[in-house]
Amino acid sequence: MKKNILTDHYLNLCGLVCPVNFVKCCLALENLSYNEVLKVDLDVGESEISVIDGLEQKGYEVKITYKDAKKVTLIISSEYK
């Protein structure tokens, strides 16, 4: 059974290319309050890798909650690691 995670904000970035995905994630995270959560849908592949690596380098906690052949769903905490 999958545990439901409450999210505070959501971005659907499917179909967008890098670095637009990463920039939009960063801007959304800057507007979150402490300990809020951002849910993001991305295309699998380059977008997924670039966004996850970039956000982890900035100190955010990134979790993959869903992934199929085309889409990945991330939960990103605005609280730094």
Side-chain angles (χ1 to χ4, degrees), residues 3-64:
K3 180 181 173 186
N4 287 334
I5 298 173
L6 295 177
T7 57
D8 300 295
H9 300 277
Y10 170 72
L11 288 176
N12 181 354
L13 301 177
C14 293
L16 296 179
V17 295
C18 291
V20 175
N21 290 331
F22 178 70
V23 171
K24 287 187 176 272
C25 283
C26 289
L27 291 173
L29 287 164
E30 286 177 7
N31 292 319
L32 295 186
S33 298
Y34 179 77
N35 212 25
E36 286 189 321
V37 175
L38 174 65
K39 178 180 176 181
V40 178
D41 286 334
L42 296 166
D43 296 321
V44 169
E46 182 184 351
S47 295
E48 169 193 6
I49 294 165
S50 297
V51 169
I52 291 172
D53 289 349
L55 292 176
E56 286 179 343
Q57 286 176 8
K58 289 176 81 61
Y60 290 100
E61 182 179 347
V62 181
K63 295 179 184 172
I64 296 173

